[in-house]
């Protein structure tokens, strides 16, 4: 069996070897999942499946620091983020979906027929079956548990392929689920790459009943082509080129606090991060100067230090991509108002570090303002009127998220609803209600997950009609 290197992004050093699954091993994983369903997992009472999720949450808490260490080593993100966001949210994902599934009901209707008769129509939801779960490298544990918690709660078996960049937490979770009592074959993990590797073998396997995928729009298109001949359902959360609209009546400091989070969190490697900031002209300089100060105050350092705010990019390849866009922006006439290069990192100079970067002088016609970069970068662009701001923000092939910053809540509601996105925030960013729908439009995805929307994807409904 072939293997590949697991590399620490903060140092550029190899810390482990990972076995790459071939088509035979992927087939064994899919067959194991099918056998788990056939042995009765799909028919397990809901309360037993819900109890498994709660035990899994408890298991993550018991091994909390193990998950933190694995996440930091794989991604290079600051340890405080791994603790307070990634691993904490994994626990919450399991507990939230346990509660949602435990309380879920079904539709039932009395239908009037001729002659005073009636029929009872009710819905039975059955597990989708064997679900391929493909997760990205930016929030590997958070997004993995976001998908498998509702999938398992609904009675499915899963085959997980984590990103080749971040293999550790998916394997660690297998240990926790086994300890929690998950039947053999319910949760399976295969490691590898996309095309010509585990990802392709998994999505093309005839035994897969559905695919849930988070990642780039290009890869999403490849997955759609792979499942199209068998007409399998898909749930995609893909890329974004997210906009923020900042009106001149806003509290500038509050807006700056929110914008600095939305641009620079996780080194800009979050699908919800802001890469386009539209600022009403009267306060444009105030916002630009304030964001520069906040960018320059970020601490790029050892991810294991509690005062580190910003880690490296995920890989050397990804840093090349982001650096290429820095060149593209400058060639288009952008003015770099902070950042724009690779920092000097001393003992960490072997890692994939990059300076948080802000531009002025770009327009919506420029590539750097249209294409997803997925780094700690943003273009600041002025506007004059509300209509202009809405037009600029919606001028994109993506449609994942937007944020609106204003003290006029009537305008905030109006503009947020006019955004062609899956989620619109007003005076906040990354605030999540796990019962609400999550997903994108356009190149940002297909379908919704979250709350009962997840249950709809991970189950197939059957209408039963009984004449009374």
């Amino acid at each position: 069996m072939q293997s590949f290197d697991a590399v620490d992004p903060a140092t550029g050093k190899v810390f482990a070897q990972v076995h790459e699954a071939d088509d035979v091993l992927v087939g064994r994983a899919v067959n194991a999942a099918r056998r788990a369903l056939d042995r009765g997992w799909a028919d397990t009472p809901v309360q037993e499946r819900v109890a498994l999720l709660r035990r899994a949450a408890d298991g993550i808490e018991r091994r909390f620091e193990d998950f933190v260490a694995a996440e930091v080593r794989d991604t290079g993100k600051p340890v405080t983020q791994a603790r307070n966001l990634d691993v904490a949210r994994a626990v919450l994902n399991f507990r939230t979906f346990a509660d949602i599934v435990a309380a879920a009901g079904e539709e039932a209707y009395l239908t009037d027929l001729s002659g005073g008769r009636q029929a009872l129509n009710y819905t039975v939801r059955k597990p989708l079956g064997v679900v391929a779960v493909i997760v990205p490298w930016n929030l590997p544990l958070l997004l993995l548990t976001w998908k498998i918690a509702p999938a398992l709660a609904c009675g499915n078996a899963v085959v997980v392929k984590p990103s080749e960049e971040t293999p550790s937490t998916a394997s660690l979770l297998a240990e926790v689920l086994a300890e929690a009592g998950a039947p053999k074959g319910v949760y399976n993990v295969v490691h590898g790459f996309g095309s010509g590797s585990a990802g392709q073998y998994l999505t093309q396997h005839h035994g897969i009943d559905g695919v849930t995928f988070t990642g780039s729009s290009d890869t999403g298109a490849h997955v759609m082509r792979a499942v199209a001949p068998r007409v399998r359902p898909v749930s995609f959360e893909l890329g974004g080129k997210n906009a923020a609209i900042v009106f001149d009546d806003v509290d500038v400091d509050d807006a700056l606090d929110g914008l600095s989070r939305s641009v620079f969190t996780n080194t800009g490697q979050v699908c919800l991060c802001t890469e386009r900031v539209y600022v009403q002209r009267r306060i444009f300089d105030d916002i630009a100067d304030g964001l520069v100060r906040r960018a320059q105050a970020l601490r790029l350092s050892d991810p294991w230090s509690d005062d580190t705010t910003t880690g490296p990019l995920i890989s050397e390849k990804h840093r090349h991509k982001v650096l290429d866009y820095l060149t593209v922006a400058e060639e288009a006439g952008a003015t770099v108002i902070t950042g724009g290069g690779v920092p000097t990192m001393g003992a960490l100079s072997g890692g994939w570090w990059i300076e948080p970067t802000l531009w002025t002088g770009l327009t919506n016609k420029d590539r750097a303002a249209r294409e997803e970069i997925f780094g700690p970068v943003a273009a600041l662009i002025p506007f004059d009127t509300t209509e202009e701001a809405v037009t600029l923000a919606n001028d994109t092939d993506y449609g994942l998220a937007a944020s609106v910053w204003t003290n006029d809540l009537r305008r905030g509601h109006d503009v947020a609803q006019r955004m062609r996105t899956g989620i619109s925030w007003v005076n906040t960013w990354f605030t999540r209600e796990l019962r609400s729908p999550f997903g994108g439009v356009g190149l940002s995805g297909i379908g919704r997950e979250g709350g009962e929307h997840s249950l709809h994807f991970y189950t197939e409904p059957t209408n039963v009609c009984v004449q009374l």
Side-chain angles (χ1 to χ4, degrees), residues 111-119 467-468:
T111 305
D112 291 328
L113 305 175
S114 62
R117 295 172 301 165
Q118 288 185 313
Q467 181 170 307
L468 302 180

Side-chain angles (χ1 to χ4, degrees), residues 457-468:
F457 175 71
Y458 291 111
T459 59
E460 290 279 16
T462 296
N463 174 219
V464 177
C465 179
V466 181
Q467 181 170 307
L468 302 180

Side-chain angles (χ1 to χ4, degrees), residues 198-255:
Q200 179 179 336
Y201 304 146
L202 182 59
T203 55
Q204 291 182 343
H205 197 284
H206 62 86
I208 292 296
D209 297 304
V211 179
T212 176
F213 168 76
T214 296
S216 72
S217 302
D218 287 343
T219 304
H222 284 294
V223 174
M224 286 189 73
R225 284 192 286 270
V227 303
R230 291 169 291 117
V231 198
R232 295 296 189 258
V234 296
S235 177
F236 287 165
E237 193 264 285
L238 306 177
K241 189 68 175 180
N242 307 308
I245 299 176
V246 187
F247 290 97
D248 61 10
D249 64 352
V250 77
D251 182 296
V252 170
D253 285 336
D254 285 348

Side-chain angles (χ1 to χ4, degrees), residues 2 16-18 58 75 114 140 159 244 268 292 380 391 418 434:
Q2 292 185 326
Q17 293 290 306
V18 185
D58 294 342
T75 66
S114 62
V159 181
V292 166
L380 279 60
T391 299
R418 293 165 68 186
L434 302 188

Side-chain angles (χ1 to χ4, degrees), residues 112-381:
D112 291 328
L113 305 175
S114 62
R117 295 172 301 165
Q118 288 185 313
L120 171 65
N121 282 271
Y122 63 93
T123 301
V124 176
R125 287 200 166 270
K126 305 170 185 176
L128 185 59
V130 177
V131 180
V133 179
I134 305 175
V135 289
W137 46 258
N138 59 330
L139 301 169
L141 180 64
L142 186 159
L143 292 172
L144 172 60
T145 53
W146 172 247
K147 294 175 182 297
I148 69 162
L152 297 183
C154 289
N156 299 284
V158 299
V159 181
V160 173
K161 195 205 83 70
S163 167
E164 64 274 13
E165 307 285 1
T166 52
S168 301
T169 48
S171 296
L172 188 55
L173 186 59
E175 298 177 13
V176 167
L177 284 167
E179 293 166 359
K184 185 177 180 181
V186 166
Y187 177 86
N188 308 272
V189 181
V190 293
H191 293 291
F193 303 87
S195 179
S197 186
Q200 179 179 336
Y201 304 146
L202 182 59
T203 55
Q204 291 182 343
H205 197 284
H206 62 86
I208 292 296
D209 297 304
V211 179
T212 176
F213 168 76
T214 296
S216 72
S217 302
D218 287 343
T219 304
H222 284 294
V223 174
M224 286 189 73
R225 284 192 286 270
V227 303
R230 291 169 291 117
V231 198
R232 295 296 189 258
V234 296
S235 177
F236 287 165
E237 193 264 285
L238 306 177
K241 189 68 175 180
N242 307 308
I245 299 176
V246 187
F247 290 97
D248 61 10
D249 64 352
V250 77
D251 182 296
V252 170
D253 285 336
D254 285 348
L256 287 171
D257 289 343
L259 290 170
S260 60
R261 289 181 61 235
S262 74
V263 174
F264 301 123
T265 291
N266 203 40
T267 319
Q269 299 171 122
V270 180
C271 55
L272 300 167
C273 274
T274 302
E275 292 189 5
R276 299 178 292 143
V277 182
Y278 300 103
V279 185
Q280 202 152 24
R281 198 174 300 275
R282 187 176 68 83
I283 61 168
F284 185 86
D285 290 342
D286 293 334
I287 293 295
D289 293 344
L291 273 181
V292 166
R293 290 193 299 272
R294 280 163 171 75
Q296 294 175 348
L298 296 172
R299 178 174 170 78
L300 283 63
S301 187
D302 182 357
W304 295 100
S305 173
D306 284 342
D307 60 358
T308 295
T309 64
T310 307
L313 295 173
I314 188 65
S315 67
E316 184 176 25
K317 177 182 178 182
H318 189 53
R319 185 169 68 171
H320 281 313
K321 172 192 170 182
V322 177
L323 289 173
D324 285 345
Y325 274 105
L326 300 188
T327 301
V328 166
E330 292 189 51
E331 290 175 346
T335 298
V336 178
I337 57 176
T338 190
V342 176
T344 301
M345 296 301 298
L348 297 175
S349 60
W352 319 127
W353 301 87
I354 195 166
E355 292 175 340
T357 299
L358 297 169
W359 300 299
T360 60
L362 290 175
T363 73
N364 270 26
K365 296 179 180 180
D366 297 313
R367 282 181 57 201
R370 299 202 65 82
E371 300 173 8
E372 183 182 39
I373 300 173
F374 220 60
V377 302
L380 279 60
I381 300 172

